[in-house]
Amino acid sequence: MITLYMKRECLLKKYFLPTVVMSVFVFIVSFIYPFQTIRVKNKDREIVYQRVIDNGDRFTIRCIHSVEKTPVDETYEIVEGYITLVETVYSDFGAGLPHCISENQSFTREPGKFIITGYNLKIPQLEIRVGRFADHAFLFKKNIIKLEDWVEPGQPVSFQIENTNLFNVLSMFRGWRGEK
């Protein structure tokens, strides 16, 4: 009996300190190591959506053009922590749609659509007023979310890249924050 007790105590001493040190290390790192997220906020600056996002990830804002009644897609890429406009795709020329390009941009016509690339416009915060008839949508990693699911038509939403810690990242997956 004494031998079993001594073995248990020896094992406890052998593994206790490393376990405590590792736990403290993980706890500290979880609050220091930054994770990049895309956050969508309403007019009151409340987070209505957030997800981890990496440099090189892309998302699209789709709307229906008010005059032409056709889809317009603006695709953004995360570059060095910024939202960067990289492409616009639309199917008809019309009021308010691009019809000429700037230096370093290219205009391509494919069957049923026009594509402008080469914007490379860094945007610290993308603000969109959700249209009443535009049917705005956020397309990201095979998900399509209507902006009306986040705010009422006529209200603004802002998209921003922010750094956060592991605790906040884990809270996104547990439903503590992020989606309404």
Side-chain angles (χ1 to χ4, degrees):
M1 194 71 160
I2 293 176
T3 310
L4 182 63
Y5 178 76
M6 290 172 60
K7 283 183 181 179
R8 184 188 305 162
E9 194 158 308
C10 183
L11 285 174
L12 184 64
K13 286 179 182 177
K14 182 177 178 181
Y15 293 110
F16 180 74
L17 185 60
T19 302
V20 169
V21 168
M22 184 60 90
S23 298
V24 169
F25 176 75
V26 168
F27 183 77
I28 290 171
V29 168
S30 70
F31 284 97
I32 294 175
Y33 185 79
F35 287 84
Q36 190 169 253
T37 61
I38 184 164
R39 287 187 175 164
V40 182
K41 298 178 183 178
N42 64 17
K43 68 177 180 175
D44 298 322
R45 311 303 297 156
E46 297 169 334
I47 298 170
V48 295
Y49 177 88
Q50 71 176 343
R51 283 289 173 260
V52 173
I53 196 163
D54 294 315
N55 283 321
D57 281 351
R58 290 182 171 211
F59 69 90
T60 299
I61 300 294
R62 175 175 291 155
C63 68
I64 302 301
H65 189 269
S66 62
V67 175
E68 298 301 318
K69 306 295 185 209
T70 57
V72 176
D73 287 354
E74 289 189 331
T75 300
Y76 300 86
E77 182 175 342
I78 307 309
V79 178
E80 299 172 359
Y82 285 94
I83 297 170
T84 306
L85 177 61
V86 293
E87 176 181 84
T88 300
V89 179
Y90 53 97
S91 58
D92 288 312
F93 283 113
L97 291 170
H99 62 280
C100 60
I101 59 172
S102 301
E103 192 176 325
N104 300 325
Q105 291 179 335
S106 67
F107 181 87
T108 310
R109 181 174 176 165
E110 293 183 6
K113 61 183 170 181
F114 302 99
I115 304 167
I116 298 177
T117 58
Y119 289 97
N120 296 321
L121 176 65
K122 289 184 178 181
I123 304 166
Q125 183 172 312
L126 175 63
E127 297 272 345
I128 296 175
R129 184 164 298 274
V130 177
R132 297 184 191 284
F133 306 105
D135 201 26
H136 281 99
F138 172 72
L139 292 71
F140 180 57
K141 296 193 177 196
K142 300 181 183 180
N143 294 308
I144 301 173
I145 303 170
K146 292 182 177 279
L147 299 191
E148 291 179 7
D149 291 346
W150 295 331
V151 298
E152 294 292 321
Q155 298 298 312
V157 291
S158 66
F159 295 77
Q160 197 167 7
I161 304 304
E162 296 181 13
N163 288 325
T164 190
N165 59 42
L166 181 62
F167 177 76
N168 286 330
V169 168
L170 293 175
S171 72
M172 285 186 253
F173 298 111
R174 294 198 171 181
W176 294 344
R177 294 186 190 161
E179 294 184 69
K180 286 188 175 182

